[in-house]
Amino acid sequence: MNYEDVMKLALERGFYFPSCEIYADAQAGFWEYGPSGVSLKNKFLELWRRELIRRDGMMEIDGSQIMSKSVFEASGHLGNFADPIIKCIKCKSTFRADRTISEISKIEIPESADLIEFDNAILQNNIKCPKCKGDFEKTRKFNMMFKVGIGPEEEEAYLRPETCQSIFVDFPRLFKTMRGKLPLGIAQVGKSFRNEIAPRQSLLRLREFYQAEIEVFCNPKKLDEMDRFSEIQNTIIRIQTDAEPVSMTCREAVESKVIPNKFVAYYLGILTEFYEKTGIDVTKSRFRKLGDKEKAFYAEVAFDFEVETTIGWLELVACNYRSDYDLSSHAKKSNEKFEVMDNDEKVLPHIFEISMGIDRSLYTILEHSLKDDKENERIVLALKPYLSPIHVGVLSLIKKDGLKEKTDDIYLQIKRKCDAFLDHSGAIGRRYRRLDEIGSPFAITVDYQTLEDQTVTIRKRDSMEQSRIKISDLQSIITESIAYP
C-alpha cells in the first residue's frame, strides 16, 4: 500500500486531517489527530517509555514551548537554524533551493552547503522557476524560528524549534535535585515549531509537530565503559556509510569502528529493538552516517535512522553526538556552572541525542501495517495489538430479542480494561471490515447462542478465525493479547 492509501485511511477513519480545513486561508503544515490517531500516538509513546525511558531509568520532563531569546542565542539557532531559499525575480515565488535543484536536475546538494554551491548549480543546469520559468535571485538563508512577542512590550521570545533546549538549561537543577549520576538520560515529549518553507505530504513535513527526545549526559572519557552494552551486543542493526546498508551486530559495528564506541552503539541497538516492536519492517531501515555538510551545526558525529517507504527513505530519528556544545554554550551565555561530579572527577558532560519524529514514525507504522487482502476482499491495518486504536469491537448480531441489551452489558464490563467499540448497526460482515481497516485485532459478536450458554464468538483480525469463548473468560483473553511485550 502507498502514500495515497494511507492518506485515504487517515481521513476516513479519523487518524489525522488538515487543521482548519473548512477555511480557505488555512495554512499548510498544520495537521490534527482524530480519535484513532490520538489513541495510536498515546500507545506508541507508552511503548517508547517502556522500551527506552524505563529500561534505562531515565528522567522525563515537560518544558515550556516558548523560550527566551537568550536560549537560542546560546544554542546557535538564531545564527544557524536556516534553510537555503531562492526567490523568482519575475513572479516572486519562493522555494527551497536544495529541493528545487534536486527535483529539476536530480543533483543532490546538502541543505547546509555554502550558498555559492546552490547558485552555481542553478546557473550550470539552467534551472528556472517551476511556476513561470523566470530567473532566480541569489540564494539566501531563511531562519525557521517562529518569533513571538511577550507582554504589552512584546519582549522578544521564540517558539522552540526542538524540545531539547529546556533539557539542557534545566540540567544543573535536575542533576542536583534528582541525585543524578552519569550517564544520565533526560527525555521530553512535546510539540516543536519550525517555519518550514514548503510543508507537504501531511505528517512528513510540518510546521507544528511532535518530538520525543532523549538527551544522554555522559563522561566523554568513559564511552567504551558501557556495562549495559552486553544487553544489545548481538542485536542486528543496518548501517550505511558510503555504500549500501550492511547488517551487522552492535558488537561487530564497534569492533570495525563503523560506530565509534559502545556508548553510541548501545543506544542505536535499543532504538532498533524499539522500532521492531512498533511493527515497522526493520529490514527496510538503516542508520545513515551523515557527512560534514549534512549533519547539524552542533553535531560531532551523526547517524539518521531512516526507514524505506513508498515515497522514499524517511528520517525518523536523528542520533547526534553533540559533545559539550550545548552545555558549554549555555554556561558561557548564562554564567552558570554546568560541571558535575562523576565519582571524584569534575566533568562537563557530553551529550548523545536521540531525537525522534513522532508524526513521521506514526505515518511509517501505518504504511508498513496497511495490507490489501485481495483474497478476502478487505483492507487490513495489521497493527501490533498493543498499538491498535480499538482493541476490540463489541457487536450484536441484531438489535432485538434481548441481544442489544446483552451486548451493551458485555461492553460495559470490558471497556475500562481495553479500548472497545460498541456497534449495533449494519451487516455483520461490513462491521468486521470496518474494524479490520482501523486495526482492531478482535471482534466479539453476541448472538442467540449467547443467551443460551453465555458464550460469544471472537474473531481474530489477521487470520479471520472465529471461535466460541465464555463471557467470563473474555476479559483475561483480551487483556493478555494486547499486553505490551
Side-chain angles (χ1 to χ4, degrees), residues 6-199:
V6 176
M7 191 74 252
K8 183 175 183 291
L9 175 80
L11 295 174
E12 293 181 355
R13 295 294 178 231
F15 281 94
Y16 53 86
F17 39 81
S19 177
C20 308
E21 61 180 330
I22 63 172
Y23 288 104
D25 64 348
Q27 297 292 325
F30 300 94
W31 287 69
E32 299 182 356
Y33 286 100
S36 300
V38 168
S39 184
L40 174 61
K41 177 167 66 69
N42 289 343
K43 290 170 177 133
F44 172 84
L45 288 173
E46 174 58 21
L47 183 66
W48 173 78
R49 289 186 172 100
R50 292 172 63 95
E51 296 299 312
L52 296 171
I53 308 307
R54 295 176 199 152
R55 174 175 181 158
D56 274 15
M58 298 181 186
M59 303 175 188
E60 184 175 351
I61 69 166
D62 187 358
S64 297
Q65 295 181 1
I66 297 175
M67 304 184 75
S68 74
K69 178 182 178 182
S70 296
V71 170
F72 300 112
E73 286 178 333
S75 70
H77 282 82
L78 287 181
N80 299 297
F81 195 66
D83 276 345
I85 62 171
I86 45 178
K87 188 173 183 178
C88 176
I89 296 172
K90 183 177 178 182
C91 71
K92 307 303 180 184
S93 296
T94 301
F95 306 88
R96 263 190 68 157
D98 54 332
R99 287 214 196 100
T100 302
I101 293 169
S102 174
E103 290 168 0
I104 294 176
S105 69
K106 308 304 180 187
I107 296 173
E108 298 290 340
I109 302 178
E111 62 186 65
S112 58
D114 295 333
L115 297 183
I116 190 65
E117 293 187 44
F118 298 105
D119 292 335
N120 289 340
I122 290 169
L123 183 64
Q124 293 166 7
N125 294 277
N126 195 30
I127 294 173
K128 303 294 183 181
C129 173
K131 289 187 177 179
C132 72
K133 304 304 178 185
D135 293 325
F136 288 114
E137 297 175 359
K138 294 289 186 182
T139 307
R140 61 186 175 89
K141 290 287 188 179
F142 171 72
N143 192 288
M144 295 185 292
M145 301 276 285
F146 277 107
K147 184 177 177 180
V148 297
I150 304 295
E153 301 301 323
E154 299 211 346
E155 198 170 335
E156 187 175 346
Y158 293 86
L159 286 170
R160 62 188 184 188
E162 57 186 10
T163 63
C164 62
Q165 290 304 319
S166 52
I167 295 176
F168 302 146
V169 300
D170 292 347
F171 173 72
R173 176 180 292 278
L174 291 169
F175 193 88
K176 180 181 178 180
T177 59
M178 304 306 294
R179 302 175 66 192
K181 183 179 179 182
L182 298 182
L184 174 66
I186 302 178
Q188 182 171 195
V189 174
K191 284 191 172 182
S192 295
F193 305 85
R194 297 180 185 178
N195 196 7
E196 293 283 353
I197 298 157

Side-chain angles (χ1 to χ4, degrees), residues 387-400:
L387 293 183
S388 295
I390 300 295
H391 294 130
V392 58
V394 186
L395 320 175
S396 58
L397 186 63
I398 58 174
K399 290 195 289 185
K400 60 183 181 179

Side-chain angles (χ1 to χ4, degrees), residues 269-300:
I270 65 173
L271 188 65
T272 298
E273 291 181 354
F274 162 75
Y275 271 105
E276 187 167 21
K277 290 178 180 178
T278 69
I280 284 175
D281 183 356
V282 294
T283 65
K284 296 181 179 179
S285 71
R286 67 187 183 190
F287 285 100
R288 186 172 65 86
K289 188 174 183 179
L290 303 189
D292 290 338
K293 289 190 176 182
E294 287 184 287
K295 63 188 180 184
F297 62 88
Y298 47 71
E300 191 173 288

